[in-house]
């Protein structure tokens, strides 16, 4: 008959703690039920098993050491170790053991196991979080803080990160001792607004966003932004957790955006103003110059010498005023960065011959010999056709104007390492070094205003800037009393297609009958063009006073050519063109733009739409007839009587 278990055995078996008894060899001599359950082994397996064999290999050396030390000194020991359980996997246990020597001298250890796996995981998570927070505190480009409201306006800071050193030039310890260390670095007027915004956010428990200027550690005023939200500490007391960031670059960017937007609006307004001014100034000049040319050229009513001289003065004065207007508008658009360029491979000879044709009469009148080489077709440059011709005309005109009777103007062209050089040389007055230093100052005529020679003093400024916009260079060489050489250097192009526009002095095919519709809402311009086209009796002119009338005329009986003003009363020239393009009968109609709007973007837009030409007002009578002759196969005597 077995004896009932002793109270001590019962207490051991039913203990709410996992317990084992270990003998002097470190083997398990007994284990209660909770120990078996916690370790995941049946009791029969645990008995006789060395405790060290159950422990993770990394902790075994430590366990051997503490057992050996306890065996020598009978001192208790504690340690944390991992046990690989067949049921629970790898678990952490806190082991507490006390040594006891029996009467026979043998040792026993009474051990208690507590499963601390969840505590270890939580501790690891806390360690990782604290490491992250510490890294943020030390490395985040800004300042983290925890603020607690107090009886005075300053309040109290519970925490500040290391960023306080860079932003405010103070240590965290100084800031925690007194927030005024930070407040004193804020611009006074900004500080008052910050206090107001902060107190309102605290009273409403809402998010705070405030911007202010701070004198940083380097003595620079920097823009900062403070953002905070309401929270609670461990005791349930309200605090504000926030972050202060340096937003100086953002502020500068905002200011730059505002400035850029303002500049863009100003530039757009300036462009619109220039376009209107171009139209408003050129329209009356169209009548002045156009009718003066008609009076001079009319073979039916030839002028007397005195009358012819007066008409030439009117024409010359109008031309000078036109040149001033054109130069000022061009310079304004260049300075505004609003001058469109359409760069393409160009045959230099074609552009050069056009320019020579435009200055040929001036050279004859000044008795200056103009020498231009005949260039091979492969001499091509990458440039804007209209602007390159403007550059060459300006250089040739200056070489002629500032020359003397019997003088010469020569053009030389050569290749050099991927660049085409085009020089205009003369044997005119030349310039001193002092004059050359002031050559590209707008409206500085270098004393020429006292000579009676027409000019504005901005032509060469425009030339220099146009060449730069075409990725080229302008070189000037001059000697007083010897002459000047202006060399334009432009990128060479491998090939250029033949120009679709004939040279200005090209021979014209004899005329044939043609019908022209002229869309124009200005009566004076209608009278002028009507009289000009009267010089071609084989042409029949129909006039439309607005866009709708022009559209009806053309759709009823398509003409041979449409002469189109770009600013009609009821629509623009481009809107009328859109309507014509939508109809297959009028889609291929020859179109010539005729407008006082001489802005280059309009010219390029018209060319892109397929307009055959874009003529600007004031009209050049000869140029208009020559253009229409070329398109309609006309011809005739254009020389003045």
């Amino acid at each position: 008959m077995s004896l009932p278990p002793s109270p001590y055995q019962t207490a051991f078996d039913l203990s709410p703690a996992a317990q084992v008894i270990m003998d002097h060899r470190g083997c398990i001599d007994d284990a209660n039920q909770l120990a078996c359950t916690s370790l995941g082994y049946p009791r029969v397996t645990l008995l006789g098993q060395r405790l060290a064999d159950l422990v993770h290999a990394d902790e075994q050396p430590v366990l051997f050491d503490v057992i050996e030390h306890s065996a020598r000194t009978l001192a208790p020991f504690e340690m944390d170790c991992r046990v690989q359980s067949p049921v629970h996997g790898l678990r952490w246990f806190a082991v507490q053991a006390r040594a006891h020597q029996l009467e026979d001298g043998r040792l026993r250890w009474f051990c208690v196991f507590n499963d601390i796996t969840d505590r270890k995981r939580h501790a690891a998570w806390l360690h990782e979080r604290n490491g992250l927070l510490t890294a943020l505190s030390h490395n985040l480009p800004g300042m983290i803080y925890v603020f607690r409201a107090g009886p005075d306006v300053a309040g109290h800071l519970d925490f500040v990160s290391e960023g306080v050193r860079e932003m405010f030039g103070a240590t965290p310890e100084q800031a925690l001792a007194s927030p005024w260390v930070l407040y004193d670095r804020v611009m006074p007027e900004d500080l008052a607004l910050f206090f107001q915004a902060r107190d309102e956010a605290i009273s409403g428990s809402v998010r705070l966003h405030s911007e202010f200027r701070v004198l940083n550690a380097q003595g620079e005023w920097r823009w900062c932004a403070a953002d905070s939200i309401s929270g609670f500490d461990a005791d349930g007391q309200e605090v504000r957790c926030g972050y202060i960031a340096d937003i100086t670059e953002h502020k500068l960017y905002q200011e730059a955006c505002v400035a850029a937007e303002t500049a863009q609006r100003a530039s757009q307004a300036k462009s619109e103003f220039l376009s209107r001014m171009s139209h408003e100034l050129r329209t009356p000049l169209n009548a002045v110059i156009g009718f003066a040319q008609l009076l001079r050229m009319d073979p039916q009513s030839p002028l007397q010498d005195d009358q012819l001289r007066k008409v030439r003065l009117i024409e010359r004065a109008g031309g000078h005023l036109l040149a001033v207007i054109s130069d000022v508008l061009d310079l304004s658009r260049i300075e505004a960065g609003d001058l469109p360029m359409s760069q393409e491979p160009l045959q230099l000879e074609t552009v050069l011959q056009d320019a020579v044709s435009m200055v040929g009469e001036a050279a004859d009148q000044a008795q200056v010999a103009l020498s231009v080489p005949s260039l091979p077709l492969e001499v091509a440059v990458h440039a804007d056709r209209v602007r390159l011709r403007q550059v060459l005309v300006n250089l040739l005109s200056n070489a002629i104007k500032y020359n003397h009777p019997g003088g010469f103007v020569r053009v030389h062209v050569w290749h050099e390492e991927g660049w085409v050089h085009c020089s205009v040389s003369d044997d005119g007055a030349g310039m001193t070094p002092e004059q050359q230093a002031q050559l590209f100052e707008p409206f500085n005529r270098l004393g020429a205003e006292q000579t009676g020679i027409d000019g504005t003093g901005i032509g060469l400024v425009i030339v220099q800037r146009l060449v730069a916009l075409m990725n080229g260079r302008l070189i000037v060489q001059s000697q007083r009393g010897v002459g000047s050489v202006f060399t334009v250097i432009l990128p060479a192009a491998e090939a250029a297609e033949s120009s679709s526009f004939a040279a200005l002095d090209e021979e014209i095919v004899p005329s044939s009958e043609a019908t022209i519709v002229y869309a124009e809402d200005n009566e004076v311009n209608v009278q002028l063009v009507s009289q000009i086209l009267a010089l071609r009796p084989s042409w029949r002119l129909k006039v439309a006073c607005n866009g709708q009338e022009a559209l009806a005329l053309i759709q009823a009986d398509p003409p041979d050519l449409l002469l189109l003003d770009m600013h009609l009363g009821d629509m623009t020239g481009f809107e009328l063109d859109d309507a014509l393009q939508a109809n297959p009968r009028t889609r291929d109609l020859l179109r010539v733009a005729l407008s006082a709007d001489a802005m280059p973007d309009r010219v390029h837009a018209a060319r892109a739409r397929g307009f055959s030409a874009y003529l600007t007002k004031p009209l050049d009578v000869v140029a208009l007839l020559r253009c229409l002759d070329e398109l309609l196969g006309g011809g005739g005597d254009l020389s003045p009587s």
Side-chain angles (χ1 to χ4, degrees):
M1 179 177 178
S2 60
L3 296 175
S6 69
Y8 299 107
Q9 183 66 44
T10 302
F12 175 76
D13 290 337
L14 300 179
S15 172
Q19 300 182 37
V20 299
I21 299 173
M22 191 170 60
D23 65 16
H24 67 283
R25 296 172 302 171
C27 297
I28 298 175
D29 196 34
D30 199 359
N32 69 359
Q33 184 58 46
L34 188 57
C36 297
T37 303
S38 299
L39 294 174
Y41 292 95
R43 186 171 182 274
V44 66
T45 303
L46 290 176
L47 295 180
Q49 184 83 268
R50 283 202 314 171
L51 180 63
D53 292 337
L54 301 177
V55 173
H56 192 278
D58 291 348
E59 281 90 46
Q60 285 180 358
V62 179
L63 182 58
F64 284 133
D65 289 343
V66 299
I67 290 176
E68 181 183 356
H69 181 266
S70 180
R72 290 196 315 267
T73 64
L74 299 181
F77 68 84
E78 295 182 8
M79 70 170 291
D80 295 343
C81 59
R82 288 167 288 176
V83 173
Q84 184 66 46
S85 167
V87 177
H88 309 298
L90 193 64
R91 307 288 292 179
W92 275 99
F93 289 91
V95 180
Q96 297 174 301
R98 182 178 295 276
H100 176 68
Q101 192 169 29
L102 301 177
E103 293 179 357
D104 59 5
R106 291 179 299 173
L107 287 177
R108 288 290 186 271
W109 280 274
F110 298 92
C111 307
V112 177
F113 285 75
N114 287 311
D115 190 324
I116 60 170
T117 304
D118 291 340
R119 190 181 76 188
K120 281 287 188 179
R121 289 174 179 170
H122 186 65
W125 176 80
L126 286 176
H127 179 75
E128 182 180 357
R129 188 192 68 169
N130 288 337
L132 176 61
L133 291 176
T134 300
L136 287 173
S137 174
H138 284 79
N139 301 307
L140 196 67
M143 188 187 98
I144 304 171
Y145 67 94
V146 177
F147 173 81
R148 187 186 303 274
D152 61 2
V153 70
H156 177 72
L157 289 167
D158 287 356
F159 171 80
V160 292
S161 66
E162 288 293 323
V164 71
R165 299 179 187 271
E166 178 69 20
M167 300 193 71
F168 290 90
T171 65
E173 294 75 20
Q174 291 172 328
L176 294 176
S178 173
W180 282 106
V181 173
L182 310 186
Y183 298 149
D184 287 341
R185 309 283 290 191
V186 179
M187 192 166 284
E189 56 265 35
D190 295 348
L191 182 61
L193 295 174
F194 169 74
F195 282 151
Q196 180 181 350
R198 185 201 63 186
D199 294 344
E200 290 175 355
I202 291 174
S203 64
S205 296
V206 296
R207 182 180 185 132
L208 165 70
H209 176 82
S210 179
E211 297 179 1
F212 45 83
R213 285 158 290 185
V214 172
L215 189 65
N216 69 4
Q218 288 73 40
E220 303 171 334
W221 284 104
R222 306 285 292 181
W223 273 101
C224 295
D227 287 270
S228 68
I229 57 174
S230 180
F232 296 92
D233 63 11
D235 298 326
Q237 300 297 314
E238 185 174 7
V239 294
R240 295 198 70 84
C241 303
Y243 174 69
I244 299 178
D246 188 321
I247 60 168
T248 305
E249 280 68 30
H250 177 67
K251 278 285 189 180
L252 293 175
Y253 175 74
Q254 284 183 321
E255 292 173 2
C257 288
V258 171
E261 184 178 351
T262 302
Q264 184 177 5
R265 288 198 301 267
S267 177
Q268 183 177 357
K270 185 175 182 179
S271 296
E272 293 174 355
F273 170 76
L274 291 174
S275 180
R276 290 196 302 271
M277 288 301 297
S278 174
H279 186 271
E280 294 301 320
L281 293 173
R282 287 172 177 269
T283 297
L285 277 177
N286 188 46
V288 173
I289 297 177
F291 281 115
Q293 290 178 342
L294 277 176
L295 287 172
R296 177 170 55 83
M297 296 169 57
D298 189 357
Q300 303 300 323
S301 303
L303 299 177
Q304 298 177 6
D305 291 344
D306 183 58
Q307 293 173 322
L308 184 61
R309 182 178 62 81
K310 293 176 181 178
V311 168
R312 287 188 181 277
L313 287 175
I314 295 173
E315 188 178 351
R316 179 180 173 186
H320 176 64
L321 182 56
L322 174 62
V324 172
I325 294 170
S326 299
D327 284 349
V328 170
L329 292 176
D330 277 348
L331 183 60
S332 298
R333 295 207 73 185
I334 291 172
E335 290 179 342
D338 191 31
L339 187 71
M341 304 288 284
S342 178
Q343 301 194 57
E344 58 183 339
L346 303 173
Q347 290 179 2
L348 182 57
E349 181 184 29
T350 302
V351 183
L352 184 57
Q353 291 297 336
D354 284 351
V356 169
S357 298
M358 296 174 71
V359 301
E361 184 179 352
D364 293 340
Q365 292 180 355
Q367 301 176 30
V368 172
L370 184 56
S371 173
V372 180
S374 183
L375 304 179
L377 294 180
E378 61 267 18
V379 177
V381 295
H382 198 76
D384 181 286
R385 179 183 301 276
V386 174
R387 294 309 179 182
L388 178 55
R389 184 171 63 195
Q390 182 179 354
V391 166
L392 295 175
V393 167
N394 194 294
L395 294 179
L396 291 170
S397 297
N398 282 352
I400 294 168
K401 282 196 303 184
Y402 298 105
N403 214 309
H404 56 83
F408 68 82
V409 174
R410 297 191 181 100
V411 178
H412 297 275
V413 176
W414 70 95
H415 274 281
E416 190 174 306
E417 298 180 353
W419 298 87
V420 173
H421 297 239
C422 180
S423 69
V424 177
S425 59
D426 64 73
D427 62 344
M431 293 177 288
T432 65
E434 293 77 14
Q435 289 176 317
Q436 292 181 58
Q438 304 171 29
L439 187 60
F440 298 109
E441 295 178 2
F443 304 104
N444 188 343
R445 297 199 60 205
L446 308 179
E449 62 274 11
Q450 301 174 2
T451 64
I453 300 175
D454 292 339
T456 61
I458 57 176
L460 283 177
V461 178
I462 294 174
V463 165
Q464 184 193 45
R465 299 187 185 182
L466 287 178
V467 170
L469 288 173
M470 292 186 288
N471 303 311
R473 290 178 294 149
L474 178 65
I475 297 177
V476 181
Q477 299 168 298
S478 186
Q479 185 176 345
R480 188 67 175 174
V482 176
S484 303
V485 180
F486 288 80
T487 304
V488 176
I489 305 174
L490 292 171
E494 292 185 0
E497 296 182 0
S498 300
S499 171
S500 59
F501 302 96
L504 294 180
D505 58 352
E506 190 171 311
E507 183 179 353
I508 303 301
V509 180
S511 66
S512 59
E513 292 188 356
T515 300
I516 299 172
V517 169
Y518 178 35
E520 171 64 76
D521 62 343
N522 185 291
E523 181 60 30
V524 175
N525 291 337
V526 170
Q527 293 180 23
L528 174 61
V529 172
S530 298
Q531 293 187 37
I532 293 174
L533 298 191
L535 297 173
R536 295 289 183 268
S538 59
W539 293 346
R540 186 162 64 101
L541 179 66
K542 296 181 180 180
V543 177
C545 296
N546 56 57
Q548 290 297 335
E549 187 176 335
L551 189 60
L553 272 176
I554 295 170
Q555 290 177 340
D557 184 16
D560 298 292
L561 182 142
L562 169 63
L563 193 60
L564 176 61
D565 182 75
M566 302 305 287
H567 289 274
L568 299 171
D570 57 345
M571 65 176 67
T572 68
F574 287 151
E575 290 172 341
L576 176 57
D577 182 59
D578 289 338
L580 295 175
Q581 293 300 310
N583 189 335
R585 293 185 64 218
T586 57
R587 184 175 299 157
D588 298 324
L589 178 65
L590 286 175
R591 289 150 295 149
V592 173
L594 183 60
S595 177
D597 188 348
M599 306 310 281
D601 51 345
R602 299 298 177 88
V603 178
H604 289 304
R607 290 286 176 84
R609 283 171 167 263
F611 277 68
S612 299
Y614 191 109
L615 304 177
T616 59
K617 302 173 185 176
L619 275 177
D620 184 324
V621 174
V622 175
L624 172 61
L625 290 174
R626 183 172 289 150
C627 173
L628 299 185
D629 283 339
E630 179 181 342
L631 294 172
L632 298 173
D637 182 14
L638 299 179
S639 60
S641 58

